[in-house]
Amino acid sequence: MTGPVSKRRSSARTRRVPPLGLALDPSSPEPLHRQIGEQMRRAILEGRLEPGARLPSSRLMAQDLDCARGTVVLAFDQLVAEGYVVSQAGSAMSVAANLPDEMLTVPRPGAPMPGRAVARPAVARRTRALLAEAPPPIPAGPPLAFPTGQPDREAFPFGLWAKLLEREWRRPGREAASAVHPFGHAGLREAIATYLGVARGFSCEPAEIVVTTGIRHGLSLFAQVVLDAGDKAWIEEPGFVGVREALATSGVDAVPIAIDESGFSPEAAQALAPDARLAVVAPAHHFPLGTVLSLQRRLELLSWAERSKGWIAEDDFDGEYRYSGRPLAPLRTLDRSGRVAYFSSFSKLLFPALRLSFLVLPASLVEATERIMDRVSVRAPLLGQGALARFIAEGHFATHLRRTRQLYAGRRETLLKAAAQRLDGLLTIAPDPGGMHVIASPTPHIAPRFDDVAVTAAAAESLTVQPLSVCYAGRARRHGLILGYAGTPEGEIDRALLKLRDVVLGATEQRAPRRRH
């Protein structure tokens, strides 16, 4: 086969067009017209082609570059569309004359602009504060022991889930194919309301349920409905970092209240910040310490909310998992004055990528929240909500919880037994009757040298652990490691603990004081 195309593909030499200095590389995966356009673009921005300068004709450039004329025309058309080159009837192409002078300089890759300082990232103070408090990112790739808040992937019936998704979207109903209520899929909200009445012991109307993407989304929405910027909210100390982040983005001042053996103390909270209007608590299973809020303090907190017209945000993120006796009743079951908003998550119970949680509003806030939601918040993605409604209504959700409750109970026992041997003298783990994680605390022998952030960083290549200290908002911080066991296969626990032992020994030895000779 002969012709321009064959000649263009077979040539391996570099071709240039003086005085533009264009060079084409036929072996490059980049199309020839893009090579021409990019080089001319840079020539214009670097000042080698001045504004108003006339360009060679496409025929001449094609001859000099030894390529098809259509290739040059494609490059010119793109430059004209981007505004670098102008074309007028009866005249040749020319560089646009109205390009800003200050933009006509492009540095070499990696080099700063001539005569200009490299700008520092201009992020807001509150963004810098959130970055300083954020826990280390979870490394990408295969899941490692011991990730926090990660359920077991193998336990979820993805085959069934695929069938439910197909049933939902093969012939979508009117709601799925049109505008959905701001609070989410009606069928899912009905299924949640029914489930809560049976499994969690309190009744609510589907209209009170808002489908969200997580605690950050739900709490931020709730705070913007009931609080003004600058209002104060009590939070647990230590506590989930996402709670502080959600309140900060809503302009609310978080006041940390130290947790003791009975959980959150309303008395201490009122002494520290008597004008607070919101309390954010996890009564059934505190994160990360696992403390259960005592009945006396539950009643005290409800009394405060009723007396002061305050609000309570109840985070029941893993209350379904309790391994001795029945799951504890939510605080919402004791609420008689409509002051408790209930939060829970499907992502932690099913699989994280689902990104679906929910908020049960007090009845008095439903109308106001519905009217302003689209102005202050985003909606949870609809994809998956209909399938989840079927998953709950057909009993698969309850079955999954029973199965995983037994699975996680076995992993918890395996972890506790193996840790007593493998981590002896280094870390101790207090049994936690519920949840999906445990706290590993340094023994007195190594505590002065134990930095949980440093240990977490040292373990990152082979383990996924979370430092306890990042859960504290104040300066007084306890160090330890949060070990999630729900997403760690039982057969990997012992091997992972051996790796953790080596990491802890290495990290603490580096911090040991050197002896003077």
Side-chain angles (χ1 to χ4, degrees):
M1 180 177 178
T2 60
V5 176
S6 175
K7 184 177 181 179
R8 182 172 70 253
R9 295 302 181 189
S10 63
S11 177
R13 60 190 178 88
T14 299
R15 305 182 286 271
R16 297 184 180 277
V17 176
L20 302 183
L22 303 187
L24 299 185
D25 181 5
S27 63
S28 171
E30 188 77 8
L32 297 183
H33 72 276
R34 290 186 182 176
Q35 294 185 40
I36 296 172
E38 177 61 26
Q39 292 180 56
M40 292 189 67
R41 189 181 296 109
R42 292 190 64 84
I44 293 171
L45 293 175
E46 291 172 355
R48 290 185 282 115
L49 283 174
E50 297 181 353
R54 297 184 63 181
L55 299 175
S57 68
S58 59
R59 186 182 302 277
L60 178 60
M61 286 188 64
Q63 292 175 355
D64 290 338
L65 285 172
D66 195 18
C67 68
R69 183 186 178 190
T71 301
V72 179
V73 172
L74 280 176
F76 277 173
D77 288 346
Q78 183 63 32
L79 291 170
V80 170
E82 293 174 353
Y84 291 95
V85 172
V86 294
S87 174
Q88 296 180 354
S91 61
M93 296 279 189
S94 61
V95 178
N98 58 348
L99 296 175
D101 292 340
E102 66 271 15
M103 295 303 296
L104 300 183
T105 303
V106 174
R108 297 183 305 276
M113 284 278 194
R116 297 186 185 183
V118 178
R120 298 180 63 184
V123 298
R125 286 192 300 271
R126 64 180 180 182
T127 301
R128 293 197 295 269
L130 290 176
L131 291 173
E133 294 181 349
I138 298 177
L144 306 171
F146 299 91
T148 305
Q150 298 288 322
D152 185 83
R153 293 187 304 171
E154 300 298 327
F156 185 75
F158 282 103
L160 170 63
W161 181 254
K163 293 179 180 179
L164 295 177
L165 282 173
E166 182 181 15
R167 285 167 53 189
E168 181 67 18
W169 288 97
R170 181 178 292 275
R171 291 183 178 179
R174 178 181 300 179
E175 183 180 31
S178 60
V180 181
H181 191 281
F183 288 0
H185 192 285
L188 177 56
R189 293 157 65 206
E190 291 176 3
I192 292 173
T194 301
Y195 174 79
L196 291 174
V198 174
R200 301 306 285 140
F202 70 88
S203 61
C204 64
E205 296 297 326
E208 299 168 8
I209 297 173
V210 184
V211 181
T212 67
T213 61
I215 183 64
R216 291 177 177 87
H217 178 200
L219 184 57
S220 177
L221 169 63
F222 183 69
Q224 292 189 70
V225 172
V226 300
L227 300 181
D228 293 318
D231 282 349
K232 294 180 180 179
W234 298 326
I235 63 172
E236 296 171 319
E237 172 79 338
F240 179 49
V241 175
V243 168
R244 303 202 302 265
E245 294 172 348
L247 294 176
T249 56
S250 301
V252 177
D253 295 335
V255 181
I257 306 299
I259 296 297
D260 60 24
E261 65 278 1
S262 297
F264 180 89
S265 172
E267 181 179 359
Q270 292 176 77
L272 191 60
D275 55 343
R277 298 188 55 217
L278 171 67
V280 185
V281 294
H285 187 247
H286 169 263
F287 182 87
L289 302 182
T291 309
V292 175
L293 187 62
S294 68
L295 176 60
Q296 179 180 351
R297 290 190 173 177
R298 292 180 183 223
L299 296 176
E300 290 176 359
L301 189 57
L302 289 168
S303 177
W304 162 81
E306 183 174 359
R307 184 177 62 254
S308 64
K309 304 302 180 185
W311 302 96
I312 301 171
E314 177 181 14
D315 185 6
D316 194 26
F317 63 98
D318 63 0
E320 295 283 2
Y321 291 119
R322 189 165 182 82
Y323 310 114
S324 57
R326 291 179 56 81
L328 299 178
L331 186 65
R332 174 87 178 214
T333 61
L334 301 174
D335 182 23
R336 297 295 180 264
S337 58
R339 313 302 299 184
V340 177
Y342 178 87
F343 298 78
S344 188
S345 171
F346 292 112
S347 300
K348 289 183 172 64
L349 302 178
L350 302 180
F351 58 96
L354 182 61
R355 300 299 298 163
L356 291 178
S357 300
F358 66 92
L359 152 66
V360 183
L361 290 165
S364 62
L365 299 177
V366 170
E367 181 181 355
T369 306
E370 181 178 340
R371 291 180 60 184
I372 72 165
M373 181 170 175
D374 283 339
R375 295 162 59 185
V376 301
S377 182
V378 297
R379 302 187 185 192
L382 181 62
L383 184 65
Q385 290 191 36
L388 181 56
R390 296 175 184 267
F391 191 77
I392 298 172
E394 295 176 8
H396 306 300
F397 182 59
T399 300
H400 177 74
L401 289 179
R402 286 195 298 270
R403 183 169 58 248
T404 53
R405 194 178 292 121
Q406 295 177 353
L407 176 66
Y408 299 162
R411 291 181 177 180
R412 170 182 170 274
E413 290 302 316
T414 298
L415 174 60
L416 292 176
K417 291 179 180 179
Q421 178 182 359
R422 301 303 188 187
L423 303 180
D424 184 39
L426 297 176
L427 302 173
T428 59
I429 299 178
D432 188 338
M436 302 164 67
H437 72 271
V438 292
I439 300 294
S441 302
T443 61
H445 174 66
I446 69 165
R449 307 190 304 275
F450 187 84
D451 183 335
D452 56 4
V453 174
V455 171
T456 299
E461 292 186 2
S462 57
L463 298 171
T464 301
V465 297
Q466 181 176 335
L468 174 62
S469 63
V470 302
C471 297
Y472 288 81
R475 292 185 177 180
R477 302 180 176 220
R478 171 184 163 189
H479 282 250
L481 299 176
I482 306 175
L483 307 181
Y485 52 82
T488 305
E490 197 163 336
E492 296 183 11
I493 290 177
D494 188 70
R495 182 166 55 250
L497 288 175
L498 287 173
K499 293 180 181 179
L500 180 59
R501 179 181 181 86
D502 292 341
V503 169
V504 172
L505 284 172
T508 53
E509 286 176 358
Q510 291 180 3
R511 293 176 59 86
R514 297 182 178 179
R515 295 181 180 179
R516 294 183 179 180
H517 297 283

